[in-house]
Amino acid sequence: MTAPGENLRINGDRLWDSLMQMARIGPGIAGGNNRQTLTDADGEGRALFRRWCEDAGLSMGVDRMGTMFMTRAGTDPQALPVYVGSHLDTQPTGGKYDGVLGVLSGLELARTLNDLGIRTKHPIVVTNWTNEEGARFAPAMLASGVFAGVHTLDYAYARKDLDGKTFGEELERIGWVGDEEVGARKMHAYFEYHIEQGPILEAAGKQIGVVTHCQGLWWLEFTLTGKEAHTGSTPMLMRVNAGLAMARIMEMVQTVAMENQPGAVAGVGQVKFSPNSRNVLPGTVVSTVDLRSPDQMKLDGMRARIEAEAKQIAGALGVDCSVEAVGHFDPVTFDPTLVERVRKAAEGLGYTHMDIVSGAGHDACWAAKVAPATMVMCPCVDGLSHNEAEEISKEWAAAGADVLLHAVAETAEIVP
Ligand SMILES: [Zn+2]
């Protein structure tokens, strides 16, 4: 005899069709999407998602950050809900799947359970978190951060876009200020299904990423102060060259990352030379280093070493070096029971899988602060994301949604 729900599969065609319909809202300029948070397009996407959910019998709650919670009732009124979520907002030149796949797969699993007349003890809540991307209003994962107590509501409302409009004003303008206190909901568990946004699964030929950790990160801003001087008339031994210090620091960052393999990355993504003139030695250089690892010891060890060695390198050239931490979160270890459930679901369904660490931040990383949480990943072509050319196959999308369905159904407890 088979256990209840053992042969369940989502409807891959229906999921794909929903993804393509959502992608028509807020089209990009190169086949992707520009559906940034709290724009009119975001409002349209929310309305469509709401209509689909209500057609599937889900009831809506909205909190004061505009996060949408669409509930499929359970049979036990006392049982805490199982949450399944991600985000419908995109980067300005974003893809059709980043975030959207997770939200619409949550809807698809509710539709599948409806089709088969399956009830669960725990309610299932499909969630669309507001402003995951952080492209328009920094920082990223803003609503889930307020939900988890990382930021205050006032802080979130005061975030400004490049035109000086605030998050609070724009949320009001598109009509999505809900009445629920943010973070008041209690979760039995949280699942998030997302494209990998990296090349590892595709290169390994695996259908499913079982996500065990989310990397922690430090963003360090370096200010190097030397002496602006003429590049022609200043003798080599009399230069105080902040640009040279920068070049040596970039090499050092690479060395530190390589000496912490595997499981660490670090790189310099931004360098501003001042005055940035062909025949002037730079007097000031401001640059940022992004370093990440799922291992707290490695993460903090790399940070300390990069800071100390940067100061040494600069000092040896007579350049002043100050360092400020401008971004940080600790690594997240996802709930081992839920991780194992995802792994077993992939195995039971006959999908190839491997354990993987999330290289990017996700709402699940904040949800993990307040509930047992984990993620499922599927490959994306060439690892490309935050790019309009982001692509996945219908089969990849469906395989991950099947795994999500099984892990969620087991956690929400199918009523025989
Ligand atoms: Zn995302």
Side-chain angles (χ1 to χ4, degrees), residues 4-335:
E6 194 175 292
N7 297 315
L8 288 183
R9 292 283 193 288
I10 58 98
N11 182 332
D13 289 330
R14 182 170 55 192
L15 171 60
W16 194 255
D17 187 56
S18 297
L19 284 164
M20 293 307 116
Q21 282 195 54
M22 185 59 75
R24 283 189 214 122
I25 299 177
I29 48 172
N33 277 105
N34 179 3
R35 199 171 52 245
Q36 292 183 72
T37 197
L38 309 190
T39 57
D40 292 348
D42 183 21
E44 261 185 78
R46 286 165 177 266
L48 177 61
F49 175 59
R50 176 186 185 173
R51 179 159 66 73
W52 282 341
C53 287
E54 289 179 346
D55 287 348
L58 311 188
S59 55
M60 185 169 78
V62 181
D63 73 11
R64 292 176 66 201
M65 281 296 288
T67 296
M68 302 169 68
F69 299 100
M70 314 303 291
T71 301
R72 183 177 193 267
T75 57
D76 179 354
Q78 307 303 319
L80 288 178
V82 175
Y83 285 74
V84 190
S86 199
H87 58 96
L88 292 175
D89 71 321
T90 75
Q91 290 283 323
T93 53
K96 299 190 280 291
Y97 313 98
D98 173 0
V100 188
L101 176 65
V103 178
L104 298 186
S105 293
L107 169 62
E108 174 52 39
L109 78 81
R111 287 168 164 172
T112 299
L113 294 176
N114 288 348
D115 290 346
L116 301 173
I118 294 173
R119 308 298 306 161
T120 56
K121 177 181 159 192
H122 297 261
I124 295 171
V125 180
V126 185
T127 305
N128 171 33
W129 298 103
T130 301
N131 190 30
E132 192 278 343
E133 292 291 0
R136 185 173 174 207
F137 300 101
M141 297 127 66
L142 187 63
S144 53
V146 177
F147 190 94
V150 180
H151 312 299
T152 65
L153 189 66
D154 288 346
Y155 168 83
Y157 276 10
R159 300 296 89 211
K160 279 190 183 147
D161 69 7
L162 287 175
D163 299 328
K165 293 177 182 156
T166 68
F167 179 96
E169 286 160 11
E170 286 293 277
L171 182 62
E172 178 102 49
R173 188 186 66 78
I174 67 159
W176 280 90
V177 185
D179 53 9
E180 285 186 21
E181 186 195 331
V182 184
R185 288 168 173 265
K186 299 285 169 268
M187 299 178 169
H188 181 58
Y190 177 83
F191 288 90
E192 181 161 352
Y193 171 33
H194 206 283
I195 62 168
E196 183 199 338
Q197 303 184 282
I200 296 168
L201 293 174
E202 190 185 28
K206 305 288 187 191
Q207 292 162 292
I208 301 294
V210 178
V211 189
T212 58
H213 296 80
C214 199
Q215 297 198 109
L217 74 76
W218 281 105
W219 285 348
L220 304 177
E221 184 173 280
F222 286 73
T223 304
L224 304 171
T225 312
K227 201 179 201 176
E228 277 175 36
H230 198 293
T231 49
S233 54
T234 314
M236 292 307 287
L237 295 177
M238 296 178 75
R239 298 176 176 212
V240 186
N241 186 347
L244 179 60
M246 187 65 236
R248 290 181 180 170
I249 287 169
M250 284 177 82
E251 277 289 352
M252 175 272 290
V253 168
Q254 172 77 6
T255 302
V256 170
M258 290 309 291
E259 288 177 3
N260 278 279
Q261 295 304 300
V265 292
V268 174
Q270 198 175 41
V271 179
K272 281 182 241 161
F273 275 37
S274 176
N276 204 28
S277 170
R278 182 178 295 115
N279 54 353
V280 182
L281 294 169
T284 313
V285 178
V286 179
S287 102
T288 54
V289 178
D290 180 335
L291 59 122
R292 307 188 189 206
S293 174
D295 177 328
Q296 185 89 54
M297 296 268 289
K298 262 187 193 179
L299 182 73
D300 293 339
M302 287 191 345
R303 180 208 167 168
R305 192 175 150 197
I306 287 172
E307 265 196 62
E309 292 193 14
K311 285 182 176 163
Q312 274 172 21
I313 288 166
L317 295 167
V319 171
D320 183 69
C321 172
S322 67
V323 185
E324 190 191 346
V326 292
H328 172 63
F329 46 82
D330 285 331
V332 174
T333 302
F334 286 127
D335 184 77

